[in-house]
Amino acid sequence: MSIGGKKFGYYNMSDRDTPLKGHLKLDGFSKIALVSKPFHGVNTKSVQFFSHSGKTVFKLYIRRNKDKSFVAEQLKKFEVLKQLAV
């Protein structure tokens, strides 16, 4: 599952089926993590990008429905990514 590709030291997000577009400078990150944790009593799931000093510099959260449940398609993709990362 890919929404883009690597070129010239950047990961270019360019999938036509997602509103997420942009360029990530790959050497600016030391780690990318899939994070599941409670926050204010609600379970959260996110993709987090960490600097070389270990600080979180960018987070992408799984979208929610109006009832605060996760959007099923996004949750499924998150879980697939999690299995690929193992």
Side-chain angles (χ1 to χ4, degrees):
M1 176 184 347
S2 174
I3 62 168
K6 296 177 189 176
K7 197 169 191 179
F8 303 115
Y10 288 86
Y11 185 83
N12 300 292
M13 296 173 285
S14 58
D15 188 287
R16 292 180 187 183
D17 296 329
T18 179
L20 185 61
K21 308 281 188 246
H23 314 283
L24 294 172
K25 183 125 178 88
L26 296 176
D27 65 5
F29 303 105
S30 64
K31 178 169 68 169
I32 299 172
L34 299 163
V35 179
S36 299
K37 68 178 192 174
F39 182 73
H40 292 289
V42 177
N43 191 25
T44 65
K45 295 186 183 291
S46 61
V47 179
Q48 297 188 18
F49 297 77
F50 293 87
S51 69
H52 294 284
S53 65
K55 296 185 186 238
T56 306
V57 293
F58 187 63
K59 299 177 185 179
L60 292 168
Y61 284 90
I62 302 300
R63 192 176 354 152
R64 296 181 178 277
N65 296 305
K66 288 183 180 182
D67 67 356
K68 295 190 179 181
S69 64
F70 292 113
V71 171
E73 181 182 1
Q74 288 196 356
L75 181 58
K76 181 179 177 183
K77 289 179 179 182
F78 181 87
E79 295 301 329
V80 168
L81 281 174
K82 198 165 143 184
Q83 291 302 315
L84 292 173
V86 174

